[in-house]
């Protein structure tokens, strides 16, 4: 599993990139950023193994991303995944440290590029480890040869020293070289000298090295202890046997060991777990745990030793304090962290861990070990958490209280000022709540408050805050809502949720609310003024008849009120028969025959007249009305197309546009099937239009839906082709009957070579895939001539015919039939 950080402003491209890696079998965990601040943050927190970056982005370019990565993590591989650039830029990027460059149109090369750089990283890391180990071994060897402690000697069978280093001279309190040539009986007490000779004979008899602790008095008369390693030798000149030896004075060590045994007994008696980690060994294994560790964790020392401490975290490795711990070990300094650890039986305990480096000398030096003391603070932290929760959360609803709302708003204001962003406070007061309390009691009122709180929570996004500040008053903190329209969507969701009946004490209760909206920075610069202004706006909503909302500023009220009024009218438009369909003919470009029509939704407002689709389609998408409206459009198109057939006109294809929300409905395919059955319309003459962005959002699911529609005999058209980011590999999987060239490429196809090439390419692609191609936006004769010349199958546009009302369409078809 490798960690991949994507520097990419287009989620679709990021999804295609990761899908290609998954398809090739590369297991990965990925995150995406599109700003420098996010990149710096993820480099520190995510610690990616490799960075994949687009080259050109609206707010942050790939070369800048490369500089940031090289500054913070110079060893991390960096691969550009972008469109084509000039050769000089590509060379410059490689000189700056980029590992590779992969063209987005050739993503199949990306897995091999990632595999190659990861292999290079592994080889580099292995090489560095080997170099470090060799360096350490060489240093140790040189230090040993230059400063070997203790004594080295060679003796013959009579006990005469044929060689002695200065360490032996000093041990016997002699000047340098005075030991050489003397008998051991001349230098040591007789009984000690003969005992040492007996040990020498045992080595010669065994013919192998032997290690013993030998003791003899120093010049001051105190006994010293030496760890001697003796081995048999043959004198090169005489051929007689000799004994070689190396002896180290372990008098002080033996005293230290005695002291350590005392300290070990004290550590073993400690009630807190104590561990020692060898940070110099691969994997930083535990080399010691005391009895308290075994008691608290449930792991025996045999099960723990040799393992890294992280086995106590199990799979719970995403803990911020772990980074702090690793940094302290890396910087060889003490630290205190709070971790979630897990006992052998799987139960979690909170561990306050204190670590300290252990240097090789009292004066400091190389740190090879860390000692850690663990404190089980589960109960303490639980108690503290309970206290904190009571201080920051409402007991009845579990929502944030006034204290936490104030704190979060303060933080949101700091962020909003720094990044010049907006935030919104929505003050909510339930309408006629007192009647519930008075009629059903305070218990019922509490149930209603709890239900309202839960419903409000479902209406906001992650990162927003819902707070109850008292009684039936709630406040929403909405962050990153740059446009008032975003607030309107949230408010309308709240209105839709709250009007749903609540069953309390056997009665269905319908509750409404009045809401006031204040935005930073235009309505206030601090928490108090924003909250006060939102409260004032709420009271204006109350005085305006309740069950509505008001913005604090009148200018914004007027603008938002108009949108709200239009949306309120849209909710009634379907029931009031204000919606109707217009049909734009589609012709065979070679024969000129009408082969189909596209059904287009229109709204004739009783007071405002015709409303442009751009003004209400997105509104319907936002509030969910697109689902019933889309069902109505499909039903009406099938009915009217069938009516034309019954009147004796030849069957023609009718194309109906789908929305992304329709496609995402669980029962979408069944609803299409039900409509066809209900109308009796032949599905062969029904075409459903989807856009590139819709089908690329969730490829696997969409493929299944389109296949199901295709099996029913329904034709599928891919609308706006050429404007999205679809992959040819995916395009082959979709059961597409027709590609529709977007009108933006047709508008200048007769005088713009780029648009002409795009249109020609799409036509050629469709032919290669054996798919029909239709062009929209044909507005003049030159467009028609260009498309005919290049083999486009079908077309539509104002030059052919404007969208027609149903009766006008019937008249046109009849006139053509009678010619």
């Amino acid at each position: 599993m490798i960690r991949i950080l994507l520097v990419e402003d287009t989620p679709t491209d990021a999804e295609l990139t990761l899908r290609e890696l998954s398809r090739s079998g590369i297991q990965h965990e990925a995150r995406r950023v599109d700003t420098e601040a996010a990149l710096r943050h993820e480099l520190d927190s995510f610690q990616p193994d490799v960075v994949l970056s687009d080259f050109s982005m609206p707010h942050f370019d790939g070369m800048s991303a490369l500089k940031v990565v090289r500054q913070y993590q110079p060893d991390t591989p960096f691969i550009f995944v972008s469109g084509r650039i000039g050769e000089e830029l590509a060379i410059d990027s490689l000189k700056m440290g980029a590992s590779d460059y992969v063209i987005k149109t050739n993503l199949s090369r990306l897995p091999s590029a990632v595999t190659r750089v990861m292999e290079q990283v592994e080889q580099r890391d292995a090489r560095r480890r080997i170099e470090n180990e060799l360096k350490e071994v060489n240093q140790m060897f040189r230090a040993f040869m230059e400063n070997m402690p203790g004594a080295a000697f060679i003796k013959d069978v009579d006990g005469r020293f044929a060689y002695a280093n200065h360490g032996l001279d000093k041990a016997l309190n002699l000047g340098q070289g005075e030991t050489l040539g003397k008998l051991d009986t001349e230098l040591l007490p007789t009984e000690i000298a003969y005992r040492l000779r007996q040990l020498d004979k045992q080595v010669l008899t065994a013919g192998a090295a032997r290690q013993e602790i030998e003791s003899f008095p120093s010049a001051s008369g105190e006994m010293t202890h030496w760890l001697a390693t003796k081995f048999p030798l043959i004198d090169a000149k005489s051929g007689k046997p000799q004994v070689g030896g190396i002896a180290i004075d372990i008098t002080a060590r033996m005293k230290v060991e005695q002291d350590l045994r005392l300290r070990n007994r004290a550590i073993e008696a400690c009630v807190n777990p104590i561990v020692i980690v060898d940070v110099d060994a691969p994997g930083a294994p535990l080399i010691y745990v005391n009895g308290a560790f075994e008691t608290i964790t449930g792991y025996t020392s045999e099960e723990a030793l040799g393992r890294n401490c992280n086995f106590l975290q199990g799979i719970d490795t995403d803990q911020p304090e772990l980074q702090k711990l690793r940094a302290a070990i890396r910087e060889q300094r003490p630290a205190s962290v709070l971790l979630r650890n897990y006992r052998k039986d799987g139960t979690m305990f909170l561990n306050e861990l204190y670590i300290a480096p252990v240097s090789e000398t009292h004066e400091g030096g190389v740190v090879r070990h860390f000692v850690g003391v663990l404190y089980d603070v589960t109960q303490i932290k639980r108690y503290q958490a309970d206290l904190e929760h009571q201080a920051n959360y409402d007991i009845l609803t579990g929502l944030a209280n006034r204290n936490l709302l104030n704190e979060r708003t303060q933080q949101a204001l700091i962020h909003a000022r720094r990044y010049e962003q907006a935030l919104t406070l929505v003050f909510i007061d339930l309408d006629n709540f007192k009647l519930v309390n008075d009629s059903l009691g305070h218990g019922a009122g509490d149930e209603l408050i709890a239900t309202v709180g839960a419903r409000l929570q479902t209406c906001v996004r992650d990162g927003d805050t819902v707070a109850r500040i008292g009684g039936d008053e709630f406040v929403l903190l909405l962050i990153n809502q740059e446009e008032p329209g975003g607030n309107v969507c949230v408010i309308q969701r709240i209105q839709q949720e709250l009007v749903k009946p609540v069953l309390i004490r056997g009665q269905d209760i319908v509750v409404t609310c009045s809401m006031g909206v204040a935005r930073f920075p235009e309505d206030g610069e601090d928490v108090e003024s924003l909250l006060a202004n939102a409260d004032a706006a709420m009271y204006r909503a109350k005085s305006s008849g309740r069950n509505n909302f008001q913005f604090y500023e009148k200018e914004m009220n007027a603008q938002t009120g108009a949108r709200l009024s239009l949306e309120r009218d849209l909710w009634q438009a379907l029931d009031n028969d204000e919606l109707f369909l217009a049909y734009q003919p589609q012709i065979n470009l070679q024969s000129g025959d009408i082969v189909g029509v596209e059904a287009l939704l229109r709204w004739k407002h009783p007071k405002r007249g015709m409303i442009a689709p751009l003004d209400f389609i997105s509104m319907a998408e936002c509030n969910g009305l697109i689902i019933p409206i889309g069902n109505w459009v499909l039903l009406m198109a099938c009915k009217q197309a069938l009516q034309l057939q019954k009147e004796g006109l030849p069957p023609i294809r009718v194309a109906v546009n789908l929305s992304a929300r329709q496609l995402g409905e669980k029962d979408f395919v069944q609803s299409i099937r039900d409509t066809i059955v209900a109308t009796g319309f032949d599905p062969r003459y029904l075409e459903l239009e989807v856009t590139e962005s819709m089908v690329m959002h969730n490829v696997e699911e969409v493929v299944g839906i389109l296949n199901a529609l295709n099996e029913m005999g329904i034709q599928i058209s891919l609308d706006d082709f050429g404007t999205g980011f679809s992959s040819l590999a995916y395009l082959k999987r979709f059961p597409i009957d027709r590609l529709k060239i977007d009108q933006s490429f047709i508008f200048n196809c007769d005088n713009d070579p780029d648009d002409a090439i795009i249109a020609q390419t799409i036509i050629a692609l469709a032919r290669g895939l054996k798919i029909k191609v239709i062009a929209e936006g044909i507005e003049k004769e030159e467009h028609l001539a260009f498309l005919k010349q290049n083999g486009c199958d079908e077309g539509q546009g104002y030059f052919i015919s404007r969208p027609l009302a149903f009766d006008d369409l019937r008249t046109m078809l009849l006139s053509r039939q009678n010619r």
Side-chain angles (χ1 to χ4, degrees):
M1 175 73 71
I2 62 173
R3 296 184 297 276
I4 297 176
L5 182 59
L6 291 160
V7 184
E8 174 61 69
D9 63 312
T10 305
T12 306
D13 280 8
E15 181 181 354
L16 292 176
T17 299
L18 295 176
R19 195 176 295 276
E20 184 65 27
L21 295 176
S22 298
R23 190 179 64 80
S24 67
I26 294 179
Q27 299 296 316
H28 61 269
E29 176 186 359
R31 295 185 184 178
R32 183 182 68 84
V33 298
D34 58 3
T35 66
E36 180 175 348
L39 173 60
R40 294 178 184 272
H41 172 75
E42 291 299 338
L43 286 174
D44 183 60
S45 62
F46 186 46
Q47 294 289 312
D49 296 311
V50 62
V51 176
L52 307 181
S53 176
D54 197 354
F55 193 88
S56 298
M57 294 173 284
H59 307 295
F60 186 43
D61 65 275
M63 296 295 271
S64 297
L66 177 57
K67 291 179 182 178
V68 170
V69 174
R70 287 294 164 261
Q71 177 185 358
Y72 280 80
Q73 295 184 5
D75 290 336
T76 300
F78 189 102
I79 300 176
F80 277 112
V81 182
S82 186
R84 295 187 179 277
I85 61 172
E87 183 177 352
E88 292 185 0
L89 282 177
I91 293 173
D92 288 343
S93 68
L94 294 176
K95 288 181 178 179
M96 286 183 62
S99 305
D100 205 343
Y101 187 93
V102 177
I103 304 300
K104 284 185 177 179
T105 56
N106 189 21
L107 283 179
S108 60
R109 199 178 74 81
L110 180 58
S112 62
V114 171
T115 301
R116 178 178 56 80
V117 297
M118 294 310 298
E119 289 174 350
Q120 291 174 348
V121 168
E122 292 178 0
Q123 293 170 1
R124 180 200 66 206
D125 292 343
R127 184 170 58 254
R128 287 180 178 175
R129 286 194 298 271
I130 292 172
E131 290 172 354
N132 290 335
E133 291 172 0
L134 287 175
K135 182 178 179 181
E136 183 176 348
V137 169
N138 289 335
Q139 289 174 345
M140 292 175 62
F141 180 75
R142 286 195 299 269
F144 175 78
M145 295 300 295
E146 294 170 4
N147 305 289
M148 185 181 70
F153 58 87
I154 298 175
K155 295 164 60 178
D156 61 21
V157 292
D158 297 324
R160 189 177 301 277
F161 287 94
Y163 167 78
N165 72 345
H166 186 49
L168 183 59
D169 294 331
K170 291 190 291 184
L172 297 175
N173 199 29
L174 298 173
Q176 188 168 1
E178 291 184 17
T179 305
L180 189 63
K182 289 185 172 62
L183 291 169
D184 50 14
T185 52
E186 299 178 64
L187 304 173
L188 297 168
T190 304
E191 66 277 8
I192 293 177
Y194 281 120
R195 179 169 56 82
L196 295 178
R197 285 190 190 182
Q198 287 300 117
L199 294 175
D200 295 345
K201 289 180 180 179
Q202 292 175 10
V203 170
L204 293 174
T205 301
R210 183 167 179 169
Q211 192 173 71
E212 297 283 351
I213 295 178
E214 299 177 345
S215 303
F216 53 86
S218 65
S220 63
E222 295 180 1
M223 274 317 269
T224 60
H225 308 283
W226 295 76
L227 179 62
T229 301
K230 296 181 177 181
F231 41 87
L233 293 172
I234 299 295
D235 184 67
K237 294 181 179 180
S238 65
K240 294 181 180 181
Q242 292 179 317
V243 174
I246 298 174
I248 300 174
D249 186 352
I250 61 171
T251 306
R253 193 181 83 180
M254 291 181 69
K255 186 178 183 307
V256 170
E257 289 176 350
Q258 184 178 1
D259 293 340
L260 283 176
R261 283 193 292 271
L262 177 61
R263 294 175 186 175
N264 283 342
R265 287 196 293 272
I267 292 174
E268 283 297 323
C270 182
V271 296
N272 292 111
I274 297 176
V275 300
I276 299 176
V277 175
D278 183 355
V279 294
D280 199 45
L286 286 166
I287 61 173
Y288 171 80
V289 297
N290 69 347
F293 177 91
E294 296 179 312
T295 301
I296 290 180
T297 67
Y299 290 98
T300 65
S301 60
E302 290 79 9
E303 293 172 318
L305 296 183
R307 302 173 70 180
N308 188 283
C309 287
N310 60 17
F311 81 92
L312 290 174
Q313 285 94 54
I315 61 174
D316 188 8
T317 57
D318 189 17
Q319 301 187 41
E321 293 280 275
L322 286 173
Q323 296 296 332
K324 179 180 175 182
L325 178 65
R326 296 184 185 113
I329 294 175
R330 186 169 56 249
E331 298 165 11
Q332 300 185 354
R333 57 176 173 79
S336 172
V337 297
L338 181 66
L339 301 175
R340 294 184 298 274
N341 284 350
Y342 296 84
R343 299 181 177 89
K344 186 177 180 179
D345 62 7
T347 57
M348 188 272 289
F349 69 97
L350 290 174
N351 161 38
E352 201 168 70
L353 171 64
Y354 295 88
I355 64 168
V358 180
S359 60
E360 294 184 338
T361 64
H362 290 296
E363 293 77 19
V366 177
V367 174
R368 301 189 187 280
H369 302 89
F370 268 79
V371 62
V373 181
L374 291 73
Y375 293 87
D376 184 351
V377 295
T378 307
Q379 295 301 326
I380 295 174
K381 293 297 181 181
R382 186 171 295 153
Y383 177 68
Q384 292 174 345
D386 289 343
L387 291 178
E388 182 179 357
H389 191 275
Q390 293 174 18
N392 291 299
Y393 291 89
D394 176 56
I395 297 176
L396 176 60
T397 62
L399 300 174
N401 61 14
R402 185 184 292 270
N403 181 54
L404 185 56
L405 172 68
N406 182 73
E407 179 182 331
R408 289 184 177 176
T409 307
Q410 293 280 15
Q411 294 298 320
L413 284 170
I414 293 172
H415 186 274
R417 290 190 187 98
R418 179 178 302 166
Y419 297 103
E420 298 183 354
Q421 295 178 344
L423 65 83
T424 303
L425 287 184
V426 182
F427 198 110
I428 302 174
D429 186 89
L430 301 185
D431 297 329
N432 301 317
F433 175 71
K434 189 173 182 298
L435 293 176
V436 178
N437 269 343
D438 293 343
S439 60
L440 299 179
H442 289 285
D446 287 347
E447 289 184 42
L448 179 59
I449 289 293
T451 301
V452 169
R455 289 184 177 181
L456 290 176
Q457 193 70 55
T458 66
C459 295
V460 300
R461 306 165 307 169
D462 292 341
D464 296 335
T465 296
V466 180
R468 181 190 179 214
I469 61 173
D472 61 338
E473 294 178 336
F474 298 85
V475 174
L476 309 184
L477 168 61
L478 309 178
I479 61 176
N480 296 331
Q481 293 282 15
E482 296 298 336
E483 298 295 334
N487 297 322
V488 172
C489 285
V490 174
I491 291 170
Q492 290 168 344
R493 284 198 296 270
I494 292 172
Q495 290 177 322
Q496 294 168 26
E497 282 296 317
L498 292 191
V499 296
K500 297 176 182 177
V502 182
L503 182 62
I504 296 178
R505 308 289 172 88
Q507 296 188 34
D508 281 334
I509 298 174
V510 176
V511 63
T512 60
C513 66
S514 299
M515 292 176 276
V517 183
R519 286 168 51 86
F520 169 85
E522 55 263 39
D523 298 336
E525 293 284 339
D526 53 53
V527 180
E528 292 75 15
S529 60
L530 285 170
L531 194 59
N533 291 341
D535 190 15
M538 183 276 295
Y539 275 105
R540 287 202 296 271
K542 286 274 190 189
S543 62
S544 300
R546 303 173 185 260
N547 192 24
N548 67 85
F549 71 94
Q550 292 288 326
F551 280 86
Y552 177 68
E553 291 187 358
K554 293 182 179 179
E555 299 81 17
M556 296 180 68
N557 277 337
Q559 181 182 3
T560 308
R563 174 182 170 85
L564 184 60
S565 174
L566 184 64
E567 185 162 359
R568 191 164 44 240
D569 292 346
L570 182 58
W571 280 93
Q572 306 299 324
L574 193 59
D575 294 335
N576 294 340
D577 294 328
E578 297 170 13
L579 302 179
F580 67 94
L581 296 182
Y583 296 92
Q584 186 168 41
Q586 299 171 332
I587 66 169
N588 182 303
L589 294 183
Q590 302 305 318
S591 67
D593 295 336
I594 296 177
V595 293
V597 291
E598 181 179 3
L600 301 172
L601 181 63
R602 296 292 184 263
W603 178 15
K604 186 174 183 180
H605 191 281
K607 295 180 180 179
R608 304 186 188 187
M610 294 298 295
I611 306 295
L614 290 177
D615 292 337
F616 71 90
I617 294 295
S618 60
M619 186 183 299
E621 289 273 5
C622 179
N623 60 26
L625 259 178
I626 197 67
I627 302 300
I629 289 178
N631 293 338
W632 177 85
V633 169
L634 180 65
L635 180 66
M636 185 58 63
C638 291
K639 283 184 175 180
Q640 292 185 337
L642 187 61
Q643 181 178 339
L644 293 176
Q645 295 178 21
K646 291 180 178 179
E647 292 176 3
L649 290 168
I652 59 172
R653 182 183 69 247
V654 59
V656 176
N657 291 279
L658 296 179
S659 77
R661 293 193 65 164
Q662 283 180 281
L663 207 60
E665 289 289 293
K666 292 182 179 179
D667 59 348
F668 170 70
V669 174
Q670 185 59 44
S671 69
I672 299 294
R673 184 178 288 109
D674 292 343
T675 299
I676 291 174
V677 172
T679 59
F681 188 64
D682 189 338
R684 293 180 301 165
Y685 300 112
L686 175 61
E687 180 178 87
L688 299 179
E689 291 192 5
V690 295
T691 65
E692 282 189 279
S693 59
M694 288 166 55
V695 298
M696 294 304 297
H697 180 66
N698 188 338
V699 174
E700 297 303 325
E701 183 176 343
V702 170
V703 167
I705 292 173
L706 297 185
N707 281 330
L709 296 174
N710 186 259
E711 291 173 1
M712 295 166 58
I714 297 173
Q715 299 184 55
I716 305 297
S717 172
L718 188 58
D719 198 4
D720 298 339
F721 187 75
T723 63
F725 305 94
S726 60
S727 164
L728 295 181
Y730 289 129
L731 186 60
K732 292 191 300 182
R733 298 180 57 192
F734 295 133
I736 301 298
D737 298 285
R738 192 169 280 99
L739 289 182
K740 177 175 279 191
I741 305 176
D742 186 70
Q743 60 184 351
S744 62
F745 302 124
I746 303 302
F747 187 75
N748 291 316
C749 66
D750 56 326
N751 54 38
D752 187 327
D754 292 337
D755 284 349
I757 290 174
I758 292 175
Q760 290 168 340
T761 302
I762 295 175
I763 294 171
L765 173 65
R767 283 181 173 177
L769 295 174
K770 295 181 173 56
I771 298 174
K772 293 281 188 180
V773 61
I774 181 173
E776 62 180 353
I778 301 175
E779 297 188 358
K780 53 185 180 179
E781 186 175 358
E782 289 81 2
H783 295 164
L784 186 63
F786 170 83
L787 293 169
K788 281 185 176 181
Q789 181 181 354
N790 286 279
C792 183
D793 298 300
E794 300 171 359
Q796 66 183 88
Y798 280 18
F799 182 74
I800 297 170
S801 172
R802 291 177 175 271
L804 303 173
F806 177 68
D807 291 339
D808 294 333
L809 174 65
R810 178 198 293 115
T811 300
M812 171 185 279
L813 294 176
L814 287 172
S815 65
R816 282 176 168 256
Q817 186 183 39
N818 295 329
R819 283 190 305 182

